Amino acid sequence: MKAARQLTARCAQSGRARLTRAARQYAGLSIVGAMMLACLPVLMAASESPSTPAISPPASAAPPDDGQWTMPAKNYASTRYSELAEINAGNVKNLQVAFTFSTGVNKGQEAAPLVVGSTMYIVTPFPNIVYALDLSKPGAPIKWKYEPNPEPAAQGVACCDVVNRGAAFADGRIFFNTLDGHTIALDANSGQPIWNIHIGNINVGETLTMAPLVVKGKVLVGNSGGEMGVRGWVKALDAGDGHVVWTAFSTGPDKEVLIGPDFKPHYDMDKGKDLGVTTWPPEAWKIGGGNMWGWISYDPDLNLIFHGTGNPGPWNPDLRPGDNKWTSGIFARDPDTGAAKWFYQWTPHDLHDYDGINEQILLDMNWQGKPRKVLVRPERNGYLYVLDRTTGEVLSAKPYGPVNSSKGVDLKTGRLMANPDKKTGTGKVVRDICPTASGLKDWQPSAFSPKTGLLYIPHNNLCMDEQGVEVNYIAGTPYVGMNVRMIPGPGGNRGALTAWDIAAEKPAWSLKENFPVWSGAVVTAGDIVFYGTMEGWFKAVSAKTGELLWQFKTSSGIIGQPVTYRGPDGHQYVAILSGVGGWAGAIVSGDLDPRDATAALGFVNAMKDLKNATTAGGTLYVFRLP
Amino acid sequence: MRLGFATLLSVTLALAACQREERDTRPQSSLGSGGQPTPVTTLEPGGQRPSPSNNKAASFEANAFHLSEGKRLFGWFNCSGCHANGGGGMGPALMDQKWIYGSSMESIHATIRDGRPNGMPSFRNKIPDDQIWELAAFVRSLSGNAPSSAAPQRNDDMMPHPSENRMPDAATLGKSP
């Protein structure tokens, strides 16, 4: 098995080495395709004996499935796993459309629909309209609609499309964020606003795009703006009236980061006083990013929330020598007070915009013979991390795709070993850096099945050229300082869905997709994985083998989060928002010009043909068996 | 006498041939240039009336120095952060033929100075007025709306797209309609 793993790695490496730029651009696809095919048997051989799935989320964070979908990640452990099994490998081919619904917004639809009782809730990209659909009636008519009318100017400070990643339900209320910096609580029955608090300032470049998480009567929200020199924070708002209970910044003095006597990081590199100030040039931490616009998980037993921190600003690393704490890392915090318990930095002194905000899946498993409470994180820098979630110790960090920007993670010091050949700087053009600024995986959340022990990771396969340029800080304007152009990664397929065997630390299988897989994934007890492609295909594949079982072409590219639920009629349904956009799809939703290789921070160069593959348009699709 | 006249004529002609464009290296640094009306639509009830043209626009429009300064400022004022090198990103593309708020020098100047409601910030108190005109001239060059003799030439480093002096007119892409 180990030999097979090494061989696989060698295949991937030689593929990269042999691949010249010209080959990739002109004749590359077929040559590389053949090369990858040669490597395929190794991958297949490696996947023959999956280890016994003795991995499961803690019961307190993943209670028995009630058929609803009340938060985007399904549960606090963030498994995106449904126990519904009516739809299975045998009958999934019969899936048909139950109803559709136009969101009326032609921007990227990244949100997860929520289902509570017999009502479905959708939040759209800017202008952030919330729809409640009555599932108990034929065709699911609108029950109510709420328009928050956010400030249109907010669109000008939203990096990478004007998306919204969903709402959260708790205690009869729907909580969601608006692009212009409001968090709003609605009565789930009537759609009447209960409270509305303004916590983000667009004039410094702050927006809100993430889905809130409700933990112990607190609504957890973080800001976006890592490309605008915005100082990152997470706030806990009182679910009752919206007042701010605590604010934890990602940079600055310990007392503002909520680092106190309880803070016990595992590695020496994260120990010291006021590292959020001293690991920056003077005052740079005030405009240093570390934004929290991704996912939060919660362990009720340990009473800890886990959240990542975004990239440091600006992207040009010459302007911020130092480790740039506490950016591109992960915090464990007490949800009651926000006090930090531990921290681990995925990417110290980030060189390539490796935001650390991806989802973390909380699992209990035997690790090298001992039961451990772990946290699994497919990280933007290309590594699949397994951490001990009680201490922040790294148990494993293996690349789940092509990585040359670093040479691995030193498990003794916990430190990512950056590749000096790929170090960026002012005036220097560095070529073929993998993964890209968008990471081997960006925000698009993966799903874990305790039945297979596999983590289903939707991700990208892209590389890039970078050139640092001088940049001035002007509040409310971009603070990036990097010319980027992206290109397809080794193999030419720009995306993949990889099933990762967590216990064996290796992929079980991987499906290639032409475009980046910018949609989330969901997996069911029927052993089906659902995900979408940017051409618009909504796919069902076998959770065991990856075999394509069913697909449906929706009206626009899919970058949303699929969910599955039990409808009022007792049957299983699957729902997905179609509507291309996001950073990867900005070329379509923002009508960008592909003749500029640096458009959309370089992403457009890798997506030149997307305008020929799909058009914008937000539509909800819901499927069921006949 | 006749020889003297011929000499004078040839010297005059030679000197006239030396005429070069004006390089206003010390632009006035005053802020804002008043409230000149700048329509953002061609639809006017009853038909279009001639709109007053601005002398400033003409003096900046085809001037190599101002275009090159505009290119420098496009990076320095973080225009490139949103509009990339013309292809767009957080803000719309500037190198295509689509103009949301008008393609004239006056319209682009007004867009930069006063902002626009869907996300374009107002730089009225950030950028000196003459530099806004330089930016406007450069923005037009991105879609081929500047003489190739005056538009900036290739970069020293990463070339995100052909240099501005080689950009075809975006409206026709170099072809006759």
Side-chain angles (χ1 to χ4, degrees), chain A residues 152-153 155-160 228 429 465-467 471-472 474 477-478 483 485 591-593 595-600, chain B residues 76-78 81-82 84-91 93 95-96 98 117-119 123 126 157-161 167 173:
Chain A
Q155 295 171 94
V157 289
C159 149
C160 329
M228 318 286 287
V429 179
D465 301 342
E466 283 191 314
Q467 178 200 19
V471 61
N472 298 311
I474 304 170
T477 70
N483 274 329
R485 63 179 168 213
D591 191 16
L592 309 183
D593 196 317
R595 290 176 298 159
D596 175 5
T598 58
Chain B
W76 280 28
F77 283 109
N78 295 348
C82 289
N85 290 289
M90 299 163 71
M95 64 201 288
D96 60 17
K98 295 162 195 163
N118 286 308
F123 285 91
K126 293 278 190 299
D157 34 42
M158 191 190 269
M159 290 289 291
H161 56 68
M167 292 302 280
L173 286 177

Side-chain angles (χ1 to χ4, degrees), chain A residues 600-614:
Chain A
L601 299 165
F603 218 137
V604 161
N605 197 50
M607 305 296 287
K608 286 180 174 178
D609 50 343
L610 189 64
K611 278 185 176 179
N612 303 330
T614 189

Side-chain angles (χ1 to χ4, degrees), chain A residues 504-525:
Chain A
E505 304 173 75
K506 65 177 177 58
W509 46 263
S510 185
L511 305 175
K512 292 174 189 172
E513 290 290 353
N514 183 22
F515 291 113
V517 185
W518 208 256
S519 87
V522 69
V523 59
T524 70

